[in-house]
mmCIF file with all atom_site columns, all heavy atoms in Angstrom:
data_model
loop_
_atom_site.group_PDB
_atom_site.id
_atom_site.type_symbol
_atom_site.label_atom_id
_atom_site.label_alt_id
_atom_site.label_comp_id
_atom_site.label_asym_id
_atom_site.label_entity_id
_atom_site.label_seq_id
_atom_site.pdbx_PDB_ins_code
_atom_site.Cartn_x
_atom_site.Cartn_y
_atom_site.Cartn_z
_atom_site.occupancy
_atom_site.B_iso_or_equiv
_atom_site.pdbx_formal_charge
_atom_site.auth_seq_id
_atom_site.auth_comp_id
_atom_site.auth_asym_id
_atom_site.auth_atom_id
_atom_site.pdbx_PDB_model_num
ATOM   1   N N   . LYS A 1 7   ? -41.684 -169.804 108.805 1.00 95.00 ? 737  LYS A N   1
ATOM   2   C CA  . LYS A 1 7   ? -40.942 -168.628 108.297 1.00 95.00 ? 737  LYS A CA  1
ATOM   3   C C   . LYS A 1 7   ? -41.398 -168.292 106.874 1.00 95.00 ? 737  LYS A C   1
ATOM   4   O O   . LYS A 1 7   ? -41.546 -167.120 106.512 1.00 95.00 ? 737  LYS A O   1
ATOM   5   C CB  . LYS A 1 7   ? -39.437 -168.901 108.299 1.00 95.00 ? 737  LYS A CB  1
ATOM   6   C CG  . LYS A 1 7   ? -38.838 -168.880 109.704 1.00 95.00 ? 737  LYS A CG  1
ATOM   7   C CD  . LYS A 1 7   ? -37.398 -169.347 109.689 1.00 95.00 ? 737  LYS A CD  1
ATOM   8   C CE  . LYS A 1 7   ? -36.929 -169.729 111.068 1.00 95.00 ? 737  LYS A CE  1
ATOM   9   N NZ  . LYS A 1 7   ? -36.007 -168.889 111.712 1.00 95.00 ? 737  LYS A NZ  1
ATOM   10  N N   . GLY A 1 28  ? -31.726 -158.829 108.233 1.00 95.00 ? 758  GLY A N   1
ATOM   11  C CA  . GLY A 1 28  ? -31.023 -160.097 108.034 1.00 95.00 ? 758  GLY A CA  1
ATOM   12  C C   . GLY A 1 28  ? -31.858 -161.269 108.520 1.00 95.00 ? 758  GLY A C   1
ATOM   13  O O   . GLY A 1 28  ? -32.947 -161.101 109.068 1.00 95.00 ? 758  GLY A O   1
ATOM   14  N N   . GLY A 1 29  ? -31.353 -162.462 108.276 1.00 94.00 ? 759  GLY A N   1
ATOM   15  C CA  . GLY A 1 29  ? -32.006 -163.660 108.807 1.00 94.00 ? 759  GLY A CA  1
ATOM   16  C C   . GLY A 1 29  ? -32.719 -164.485 107.749 1.00 94.00 ? 759  GLY A C   1
ATOM   17  O O   . GLY A 1 29  ? -32.887 -164.062 106.604 1.00 94.00 ? 759  GLY A O   1
ATOM   18  N N   . SER A 1 30  ? -33.138 -165.664 108.169 1.00 95.00 ? 760  SER A N   1
ATOM   19  C CA  . SER A 1 30  ? -33.694 -166.620 107.208 1.00 95.00 ? 760  SER A CA  1
ATOM   20  C C   . SER A 1 30  ? -35.092 -166.221 106.727 1.00 95.00 ? 760  SER A C   1
ATOM   21  O O   . SER A 1 30  ? -35.448 -166.483 105.568 1.00 95.00 ? 760  SER A O   1
ATOM   22  C CB  . SER A 1 30  ? -33.717 -168.016 107.820 1.00 95.00 ? 760  SER A CB  1
ATOM   23  O OG  . SER A 1 30  ? -34.326 -167.975 109.090 1.00 95.00 ? 760  SER A OG  1
ATOM   24  N N   . THR A 1 31  ? -35.899 -165.603 107.572 1.00 96.00 ? 761  THR A N   1
ATOM   25  C CA  . THR A 1 31  ? -37.254 -165.219 107.132 1.00 96.00 ? 761  THR A CA  1
ATOM   26  C C   . THR A 1 31  ? -37.159 -164.147 106.046 1.00 96.00 ? 761  THR A C   1
ATOM   27  O O   . THR A 1 31  ? -37.888 -164.197 105.040 1.00 96.00 ? 761  THR A O   1
ATOM   28  C CB  . THR A 1 31  ? -38.098 -164.714 108.329 1.00 96.00 ? 761  THR A CB  1
ATOM   29  O OG1 . THR A 1 31  ? -37.854 -165.558 109.457 1.00 96.00 ? 761  THR A OG1 1
ATOM   30  C CG2 . THR A 1 31  ? -39.573 -164.729 107.996 1.00 96.00 ? 761  THR A CG2 1
ATOM   31  N N   . VAL A 1 32  ? -36.240 -163.207 106.241 1.00 97.00 ? 762  VAL A N   1
ATOM   32  C CA  . VAL A 1 32  ? -36.020 -162.172 105.215 1.00 97.00 ? 762  VAL A CA  1
ATOM   33  C C   . VAL A 1 32  ? -35.507 -162.821 103.925 1.00 97.00 ? 762  VAL A C   1
ATOM   34  O O   . VAL A 1 32  ? -35.902 -162.419 102.819 1.00 97.00 ? 762  VAL A O   1
ATOM   35  C CB  . VAL A 1 32  ? -35.050 -161.088 105.738 1.00 97.00 ? 762  VAL A CB  1
ATOM   36  C CG1 . VAL A 1 32  ? -34.538 -160.199 104.607 1.00 97.00 ? 762  VAL A CG1 1
ATOM   37  C CG2 . VAL A 1 32  ? -35.730 -160.231 106.802 1.00 97.00 ? 762  VAL A CG2 1
ATOM   38  N N   . ASP A 1 80  ? -37.750 -157.134 109.053 1.00 98.00 ? 810  ASP A N   1
ATOM   39  C CA  . ASP A 1 80  ? -36.589 -157.702 109.722 1.00 98.00 ? 810  ASP A CA  1
ATOM   40  C C   . ASP A 1 80  ? -37.030 -158.898 110.554 1.00 98.00 ? 810  ASP A C   1
ATOM   41  O O   . ASP A 1 80  ? -38.221 -159.049 110.857 1.00 98.00 ? 810  ASP A O   1
ATOM   42  C CB  . ASP A 1 80  ? -35.955 -156.636 110.647 1.00 98.00 ? 810  ASP A CB  1
ATOM   43  C CG  . ASP A 1 80  ? -34.459 -156.815 110.811 1.00 98.00 ? 810  ASP A CG  1
ATOM   44  O OD1 . ASP A 1 80  ? -33.953 -157.918 110.507 1.00 98.00 ? 810  ASP A OD1 1
ATOM   45  O OD2 . ASP A 1 80  ? -33.800 -155.853 111.226 1.00 98.00 ? 810  ASP A OD2 1
ATOM   46  N N   . GLY A 1 81  ? -36.065 -159.711 110.924 1.00 96.00 ? 811  GLY A N   1
ATOM   47  C CA  . GLY A 1 81  ? -36.327 -160.767 111.891 1.00 96.00 ? 811  GLY A CA  1
ATOM   48  C C   . GLY A 1 81  ? -35.942 -160.265 113.270 1.00 96.00 ? 811  GLY A C   1
ATOM   49  O O   . GLY A 1 81  ? -35.486 -159.135 113.441 1.00 96.00 ? 811  GLY A O   1
ATOM   50  N N   . CYS A 1 82  ? -36.151 -161.084 114.280 1.00 96.00 ? 812  CYS A N   1
ATOM   51  C CA  . CYS A 1 82  ? -35.710 -160.728 115.634 1.00 96.00 ? 812  CYS A CA  1
ATOM   52  C C   . CYS A 1 82  ? -35.492 -162.017 116.402 1.00 96.00 ? 812  CYS A C   1
ATOM   53  O O   . CYS A 1 82  ? -35.832 -163.099 115.924 1.00 96.00 ? 812  CYS A O   1
ATOM   54  C CB  . CYS A 1 82  ? -36.752 -159.867 116.343 1.00 96.00 ? 812  CYS A CB  1
ATOM   55  S SG  . CYS A 1 82  ? -38.287 -160.736 116.697 1.00 96.00 ? 812  CYS A SG  1
ATOM   56  N N   . ASP A 1 83  ? -34.908 -161.889 117.590 1.00 95.00 ? 813  ASP A N   1
ATOM   57  C CA  . ASP A 1 83  ? -34.760 -163.061 118.439 1.00 95.00 ? 813  ASP A CA  1
ATOM   58  C C   . ASP A 1 83  ? -35.950 -163.188 119.376 1.00 95.00 ? 813  ASP A C   1
ATOM   59  O O   . ASP A 1 83  ? -36.360 -164.282 119.730 1.00 95.00 ? 813  ASP A O   1
ATOM   60  C CB  . ASP A 1 83  ? -33.448 -162.968 119.227 1.00 95.00 ? 813  ASP A CB  1
ATOM   61  C CG  . ASP A 1 83  ? -32.262 -163.060 118.277 1.00 95.00 ? 813  ASP A CG  1
ATOM   62  O OD1 . ASP A 1 83  ? -32.356 -163.838 117.319 1.00 95.00 ? 813  ASP A OD1 1
ATOM   63  O OD2 . ASP A 1 83  ? -31.277 -162.333 118.463 1.00 95.00 ? 813  ASP A OD2 1
ATOM   64  N N   . LEU A 1 92  ? -35.682 -157.746 120.870 1.00 97.00 ? 822  LEU A N   1
ATOM   65  C CA  . LEU A 1 92  ? -34.265 -158.014 121.137 1.00 97.00 ? 822  LEU A CA  1
ATOM   66  C C   . LEU A 1 92  ? -33.678 -158.720 119.922 1.00 97.00 ? 822  LEU A C   1
ATOM   67  O O   . LEU A 1 92  ? -34.240 -159.704 119.440 1.00 97.00 ? 822  LEU A O   1
ATOM   68  C CB  . LEU A 1 92  ? -34.125 -158.905 122.373 1.00 97.00 ? 822  LEU A CB  1
ATOM   69  C CG  . LEU A 1 92  ? -32.699 -159.227 122.805 1.00 97.00 ? 822  LEU A CG  1
ATOM   70  C CD1 . LEU A 1 92  ? -31.928 -157.965 123.166 1.00 97.00 ? 822  LEU A CD1 1
ATOM   71  C CD2 . LEU A 1 92  ? -32.713 -160.179 124.003 1.00 97.00 ? 822  LEU A CD2 1
ATOM   72  N N   . LYS A 1 93  ? -32.594 -158.159 119.435 1.00 93.00 ? 823  LYS A N   1
ATOM   73  C CA  . LYS A 1 93  ? -31.870 -158.773 118.337 1.00 93.00 ? 823  LYS A CA  1
ATOM   74  C C   . LYS A 1 93  ? -30.457 -159.030 118.867 1.00 93.00 ? 823  LYS A C   1
ATOM   75  O O   . LYS A 1 93  ? -29.943 -158.255 119.638 1.00 93.00 ? 823  LYS A O   1
ATOM   76  C CB  . LYS A 1 93  ? -31.861 -157.853 117.126 1.00 93.00 ? 823  LYS A CB  1
ATOM   77  C CG  . LYS A 1 93  ? -33.283 -157.636 116.582 1.00 93.00 ? 823  LYS A CG  1
ATOM   78  C CD  . LYS A 1 93  ? -33.369 -156.526 115.579 1.00 93.00 ? 823  LYS A CD  1
ATOM   79  C CE  . LYS A 1 93  ? -32.636 -156.843 114.315 1.00 93.00 ? 823  LYS A CE  1
ATOM   80  N NZ  . LYS A 1 93  ? -33.197 -158.007 113.584 1.00 93.00 ? 823  LYS A NZ  1
ATOM   81  N N   . SER A 1 94  ? -29.896 -160.143 118.468 1.00 81.00 ? 824  SER A N   1
ATOM   82  C CA  . SER A 1 94  ? -28.620 -160.466 119.101 1.00 81.00 ? 824  SER A CA  1
ATOM   83  C C   . SER A 1 94  ? -27.601 -161.060 118.167 1.00 81.00 ? 824  SER A C   1
ATOM   84  O O   . SER A 1 94  ? -26.456 -160.656 118.126 1.00 81.00 ? 824  SER A O   1
ATOM   85  C CB  . SER A 1 94  ? -28.834 -161.484 120.230 1.00 81.00 ? 824  SER A CB  1
ATOM   86  O OG  . SER A 1 94  ? -29.548 -160.934 121.255 1.00 81.00 ? 824  SER A OG  1
ATOM   87  N N   . GLY A 1 95  ? -28.089 -162.026 117.419 1.00 82.00 ? 825  GLY A N   1
ATOM   88  C CA  . GLY A 1 95  ? -27.176 -162.921 116.744 1.00 82.00 ? 825  GLY A CA  1
ATOM   89  C C   . GLY A 1 95  ? -26.175 -162.279 115.801 1.00 82.00 ? 825  GLY A C   1
ATOM   90  O O   . GLY A 1 95  ? -24.961 -162.453 115.942 1.00 82.00 ? 825  GLY A O   1
ATOM   91  N N   . GLY A 1 96  ? -26.675 -161.530 114.851 1.00 87.00 ? 826  GLY A N   1
ATOM   92  C CA  . GLY A 1 96  ? -25.834 -161.122 113.732 1.00 87.00 ? 826  GLY A CA  1
ATOM   93  C C   . GLY A 1 96  ? -24.796 -160.048 114.034 1.00 87.00 ? 826  GLY A C   1
ATOM   94  O O   . GLY A 1 96  ? -23.811 -159.916 113.323 1.00 87.00 ? 826  GLY A O   1
ATOM   95  N N   . GLY A 1 97  ? -25.023 -159.276 115.070 1.00 92.00 ? 827  GLY A N   1
ATOM   96  C CA  . GLY A 1 97  ? -24.093 -158.192 115.387 1.00 92.00 ? 827  GLY A CA  1
ATOM   97  C C   . GLY A 1 97  ? -24.150 -157.033 114.401 1.00 92.00 ? 827  GLY A C   1
ATOM   98  O O   . GLY A 1 97  ? -23.226 -156.228 114.316 1.00 92.00 ? 827  GLY A O   1
ATOM   99  N N   . GLU A 1 102 ? -29.034 -152.113 111.353 1.00 97.00 ? 832  GLU A N   1
ATOM   100 C CA  . GLU A 1 102 ? -30.447 -152.521 111.301 1.00 97.00 ? 832  GLU A CA  1
ATOM   101 C C   . GLU A 1 102 ? -31.341 -151.437 111.910 1.00 97.00 ? 832  GLU A C   1
ATOM   102 O O   . GLU A 1 102 ? -32.411 -151.124 111.393 1.00 97.00 ? 832  GLU A O   1
ATOM   103 C CB  . GLU A 1 102 ? -30.652 -153.838 112.052 1.00 97.00 ? 832  GLU A CB  1
ATOM   104 C CG  . GLU A 1 102 ? -30.130 -155.045 111.296 1.00 97.00 ? 832  GLU A CG  1
ATOM   105 C CD  . GLU A 1 102 ? -30.336 -156.356 112.041 1.00 97.00 ? 832  GLU A CD  1
ATOM   106 O OE1 . GLU A 1 102 ? -30.185 -156.389 113.275 1.00 97.00 ? 832  GLU A OE1 1
ATOM   107 O OE2 . GLU A 1 102 ? -30.629 -157.362 111.386 1.00 97.00 ? 832  GLU A OE2 1
ATOM   108 N N   . LEU A 1 115 ? -40.842 -159.962 111.343 1.00 98.00 ? 845  LEU A N   1
ATOM   109 C CA  . LEU A 1 115 ? -41.393 -161.234 110.895 1.00 98.00 ? 845  LEU A CA  1
ATOM   110 C C   . LEU A 1 115 ? -40.964 -162.279 111.914 1.00 98.00 ? 845  LEU A C   1
ATOM   111 O O   . LEU A 1 115 ? -39.763 -162.515 112.090 1.00 98.00 ? 845  LEU A O   1
ATOM   112 C CB  . LEU A 1 115 ? -40.854 -161.587 109.508 1.00 98.00 ? 845  LEU A CB  1
ATOM   113 C CG  . LEU A 1 115 ? -40.968 -160.472 108.448 1.00 98.00 ? 845  LEU A CG  1
ATOM   114 C CD1 . LEU A 1 115 ? -40.366 -160.919 107.123 1.00 98.00 ? 845  LEU A CD1 1
ATOM   115 C CD2 . LEU A 1 115 ? -42.433 -160.069 108.260 1.00 98.00 ? 845  LEU A CD2 1
ATOM   116 N N   . ASP A 1 117 ? -41.924 -166.116 114.175 1.00 92.00 ? 847  ASP A N   1
ATOM   117 C CA  . ASP A 1 117 ? -42.835 -167.214 114.447 1.00 92.00 ? 847  ASP A CA  1
ATOM   118 C C   . ASP A 1 117 ? -43.320 -167.070 115.888 1.00 92.00 ? 847  ASP A C   1
ATOM   119 O O   . ASP A 1 117 ? -42.710 -166.354 116.693 1.00 92.00 ? 847  ASP A O   1
ATOM   120 C CB  . ASP A 1 117 ? -42.190 -168.579 114.159 1.00 92.00 ? 847  ASP A CB  1
ATOM   121 C CG  . ASP A 1 117 ? -40.917 -168.758 114.928 1.00 92.00 ? 847  ASP A CG  1
ATOM   122 O OD1 . ASP A 1 117 ? -40.999 -168.851 116.160 1.00 92.00 ? 847  ASP A OD1 1
ATOM   123 O OD2 . ASP A 1 117 ? -39.836 -168.777 114.309 1.00 92.00 ? 847  ASP A OD2 1
ATOM   124 N N   . LYS A 1 120 ? -41.324 -166.712 119.180 1.00 95.00 ? 850  LYS A N   1
ATOM   125 C CA  . LYS A 1 120 ? -40.491 -165.544 119.499 1.00 95.00 ? 850  LYS A CA  1
ATOM   126 C C   . LYS A 1 120 ? -41.289 -164.428 120.183 1.00 95.00 ? 850  LYS A C   1
ATOM   127 O O   . LYS A 1 120 ? -40.731 -163.404 120.548 1.00 95.00 ? 850  LYS A O   1
ATOM   128 C CB  . LYS A 1 120 ? -39.868 -164.988 118.213 1.00 95.00 ? 850  LYS A CB  1
ATOM   129 C CG  . LYS A 1 120 ? -38.829 -165.915 117.590 1.00 95.00 ? 850  LYS A CG  1
ATOM   130 C CD  . LYS A 1 120 ? -38.216 -165.267 116.367 1.00 95.00 ? 850  LYS A CD  1
ATOM   131 C CE  . LYS A 1 120 ? -37.086 -166.117 115.813 1.00 95.00 ? 850  LYS A CE  1
ATOM   132 N NZ  . LYS A 1 120 ? -36.438 -165.496 114.668 1.00 95.00 ? 850  LYS A NZ  1
HETATM 133 C C1  . 5RP B 2 .   ? -30.109 -161.189 114.464 1.00 68.43 ? 1883 5RP B C1  1
HETATM 134 C C2  . 5RP B 2 .   ? -31.549 -161.053 114.257 1.00 68.43 ? 1883 5RP B C2  1
HETATM 135 C C3  . 5RP B 2 .   ? -32.089 -161.737 113.075 1.00 68.43 ? 1883 5RP B C3  1
HETATM 136 O O1  . 5RP B 2 .   ? -32.832 -160.826 112.342 1.00 68.43 ? 1883 5RP B O1  1
HETATM 137 C C4  . 5RP B 2 .   ? -32.932 -162.864 113.502 1.00 68.43 ? 1883 5RP B C4  1
HETATM 138 O O2  . 5RP B 2 .   ? -32.181 -163.763 114.316 1.00 68.43 ? 1883 5RP B O2  1
HETATM 139 C C5  . 5RP B 2 .   ? -33.416 -163.576 112.279 1.00 68.43 ? 1883 5RP B C5  1
HETATM 140 O O3  . 5RP B 2 .   ? -34.220 -164.611 112.635 1.00 68.43 ? 1883 5RP B O3  1
HETATM 141 P P1  . 5RP B 2 .   ? -34.716 -165.649 111.554 1.00 68.43 ? 1883 5RP B P1  1
HETATM 142 O O4  . 5RP B 2 .   ? -33.498 -166.274 110.942 1.00 68.43 ? 1883 5RP B O4  1
HETATM 143 O O5  . 5RP B 2 .   ? -35.504 -166.622 112.398 1.00 68.43 ? 1883 5RP B O5  1
HETATM 144 O O6  . 5RP B 2 .   ? -35.563 -164.935 110.549 1.00 68.43 ? 1883 5RP B O6  1
HETATM 145 O O7  . 5RP B 2 .   ? -32.238 -160.416 114.981 1.00 68.43 ? 1883 5RP B O7  1
HETATM 146 O O8  . 5RP B 2 .   ? -29.708 -160.261 115.376 1.00 68.43 ? 1883 5RP B O8  1
#
Side-chain angles (χ1 to χ4, degrees):
K737 286 172 197 251
S760 50
T761 318
V762 166
D810 210 342
C812 67
D813 293 322
L822 182 61
K823 296 168 67 63
S824 293
E832 286 180 321
L845 310 178
D847 56 67
K850 292 183 174 182

